[in-house]
Amino acid sequence: SRHVSSGWESGRCAVAMPAATVVVTSGPPCPDPPLFTHADLAVYDGVHDPRIYIAFRGAIFDVSERRDLYLAEQGGTYAMLAGRDATRALTKMSLKPEDVGRSDVDDLLASELADLHVKAADDWFARFQSTYAVVGRLSCESAGGPQSMEVHATVKPALALPPPMRAPGTLERLCDKPCIYRIRGFLTPMECKVLRRMATGPGGTIFSEAKIRDGLRLNDARWAPEERRLLKGVETRLGWLLGTPAHKDEVELVGTVTPPCPLGGPRCHLGLHVDTNGNREWRYATAICYLSDVSTGGRTVFPLARLASDDRAPPSDDEVELAEAAQRLLDAGIDHTDRVLLNGQCPQRRADAEIMVRAACEGRGIGVDAEEGAVVLFWTRRGDGSIDPYSWHGGEVVGAGCQKWTLQKFKEAPEEERVSPERLAAFVARTRRQIGCAKS
């Protein structure tokens, strides 16, 4: 087994370092540091004593310089760790009360996510060691008995992920206007579980009161090799389906968590939009991978879409009116209903935006269920390169007790395909033909 040392090396204090780590030494030996009990450590919480100490892997670090992070009265995100053992909490990436003040991690290292836990612990230890002074070591005994300070390679099973470059799966055509396909089982349950954890790592940003997003960059130093292979595999397979590989002119995969929202408001609580919104004018198609089941709400709603089986019937007067409203909004440069209804832009198009939102609330069009492992693929642009007015969509409110996890890829035309409207149209038409979309 691989043991995490709690010794002290000459020239530099090295606590809880993996045995394989090389410690550069110089100067006289370190004096033996003081030994703290948990009660001793608790005094250094920034309140009883102005200093703030935190224990991690048996070492005690002085983090007093970051009172903004570790002091409650300054709104510190990690204030609950002040004067406590943070080993389990940071290894698990959890700030729940039941995980704070503990160093036992054996159950985490025996789990299917052992590699992720070890990586988190290594990252945190490296950050502490490079930033803060070591002022002591923590007694291995606590009120609950001895604390585990070992990492055993034998209980770190590799993530049970399938080959990342496998075939995408069986396409199910849902609609031609807009072009929508679905593949069930595109991701395995284990892949979904790993991607959910990756989507909630440090660096996530608040997109709105009802959504949290984090870009999952392939070259992010946070990822273990298995995680990086998983992201690359997803990017590659989506590139096959949507007609062009990942490239420098488009954004990375985006992990999104949508928490439950009180019912009673609009069905699509963040409004309706086309995916060129946010000044991303070169987007042509989108993939939404569902990383969790949602039992109540959470559908991706396309209020203008019609099921492929209904396309032979002529559109109703209401459907024609809705399509005309959608096109008028696009002609006015409006790509999100919130720009009109909340921000007051283009007030002459307010009635059109209201018609769109009302259609979504009435359940018109298609709602694609959030089903773990499935991916929905849809085209924002028609075969002539123009934005498809039928591609307006929004996320349905997530019901109480649920969370909606997704991994999104917004495909953009490469720079060389943007030189003229004709070149863009030919590119988009080619991607649609490749997957089998109708040419309209």
Side-chain angles (χ1 to χ4, degrees):
S1 65
R2 181 164 64 89
H3 182 70
V4 176
S5 169
S6 59
W8 292 79
E9 310 292 342
S10 63
R12 179 177 175 184
C13 300
V15 179
M17 294 287 288
T21 300
V22 176
V23 179
V24 179
T25 63
S26 63
C30 284
D32 197 37
L35 186 66
F36 285 66
T37 66
H38 285 257
D40 296 332
L41 177 62
V43 173
Y44 298 93
D45 60 357
V47 178
H48 297 90
D49 187 285
R51 290 166 290 184
I52 304 176
Y53 293 171
I54 286 177
F56 191 74
R57 281 183 167 175
I60 296 177
F61 296 91
D62 184 348
V63 300
S64 304
E65 65 189 69
R66 293 307 308 269
R67 305 178 78 81
D68 58 318
L69 292 178
Y70 297 104
L71 193 61
E73 67 182 28
Q74 293 191 19
T77 303
Y78 300 103
M80 67 289 296
L81 302 180
R84 309 288 298 279
D85 190 332
T87 303
R88 181 179 179 87
L90 296 181
T91 299
K92 191 178 177 182
M93 295 298 293
S94 166
L95 296 179
K96 294 180 179 179
E98 60 266 29
D99 292 316
V100 175
R102 297 169 56 184
S103 63
D104 56 302
V105 294
D106 286 348
D107 60 320
L108 304 180
L109 302 179
S111 74
E112 59 191 9
L113 297 178
D115 282 345
L116 302 183
H117 293 314
V118 171
K119 180 179 180 297
D122 288 345
D123 289 349
W124 277 107
F125 188 81
R127 185 180 309 172
F128 281 129
Q129 190 187 40
S130 65
T131 307
Y132 307 116
V134 176
V135 295
R137 53 196 175 97
L138 187 63
S139 168
C140 292
E141 297 295 322
S142 72
Q147 302 293 301
S148 172
M149 294 300 298
E150 294 187 343
V151 177
H152 298 283
T154 55
V155 296
K156 281 178 51 188
L159 296 174
L161 300 177
M165 299 304 179
R166 65 190 184 278
T170 303
L171 283 166
E172 176 188 1
R173 183 170 69 94
L174 300 182
C175 183
D176 285 337
K177 291 184 178 181
C179 177
I180 306 177
Y181 280 84
R182 175 172 59 191
I183 301 175
R184 289 187 164 101
F186 179 77
L187 297 170
T188 68
M190 174 57 76
E191 287 175 325
C192 290
K193 187 171 185 177
V194 171
L195 289 166
R196 288 197 300 268
R197 288 192 62 87
M198 295 171 71
T200 55
T205 56
I206 300 299
F207 178 69
S208 75
E209 292 181 354
K211 189 173 286 189
I212 301 172
R213 284 187 170 177
D214 188 13
L216 304 184
R217 296 174 180 83
L218 188 61
N219 61 353
D220 196 313
R222 290 179 288 163
W223 310 142
E226 294 88 350
E227 296 170 311
R228 192 169 288 111
R229 283 194 293 270
L230 173 56
L231 289 180
K232 186 175 182 180
V234 173
E235 285 270 23
T236 300
R237 296 164 70 215
L238 292 178
W240 291 342
L241 292 164
L242 298 176
T244 189
H247 56 84
K248 63 180 179 61
D249 303 317
E250 63 187 21
V251 299
E252 65 275 357
L253 291 162
V254 178
T256 303
V257 185
T258 306
C261 186
L263 300 178
R267 182 187 185 194
C268 297
H269 59 309
L270 298 180
L272 300 171
H273 61 278
V274 292
D275 276 346
T276 51
N277 79 99
N279 297 317
R280 306 303 302 196
E281 61 178 313
W282 300 110
R283 288 178 179 171
Y284 70 92
T286 301
I288 304 176
C289 303
Y290 300 105
L291 304 182
S292 65
D293 292 319
V294 180
S295 58
T296 306
R299 297 175 184 86
T300 303
V301 176
F302 298 85
L304 284 84
R306 307 175 75 199
L307 289 170
S309 58
D310 296 335
D311 276 352
R312 293 185 179 181
S316 67
D317 291 343
D318 287 344
E319 289 172 330
V320 172
E321 180 185 13
L322 190 59
E324 291 174 347
Q327 187 62 60
R328 285 193 294 268
L329 287 169
L330 294 176
D331 291 343
I334 299 298
D335 49 24
H336 201 301
T337 56
D338 282 357
R339 292 179 58 186
V340 177
L341 300 180
L342 297 184
N343 300 338
Q345 299 180 27
C346 202
Q348 64 271 29
R349 296 272 70 89
R350 185 174 185 86
D352 292 330
E354 289 174 343
I355 288 173
M356 299 276 289
V357 172
R358 185 164 59 249
C361 290
E362 292 173 351
R364 303 268 288 276
I366 291 175
V368 182
D369 291 334
E371 178 183 318
E372 183 180 276
V375 61
V376 61
L377 313 157
F378 61 93
W379 267 250
T380 299
R381 293 183 180 273
R382 295 181 287 198
D384 63 1
S386 63
I387 298 174
D388 192 341
Y390 290 88
S391 71
W392 284 85
H393 64 283
E396 185 180 36
V397 168
V398 174
C402 303
Q403 281 189 330
K404 177 183 177 182
W405 300 72
T406 60
L407 183 69
Q408 295 172 280
K409 181 64 183 183
F410 301 100
K411 294 297 291 182
E412 302 192 30
E415 188 173 4
E416 63 270 18
E417 306 294 353
R418 304 175 183 181
V419 296
S420 69
E422 293 78 16
R423 183 76 174 264
L424 177 64
F427 167 75
V428 175
R430 184 168 65 251
T431 66
R432 291 168 61 96
R433 286 196 302 271
Q434 179 173 308
I435 200 170
C437 296
K439 294 182 181 181
S440 59

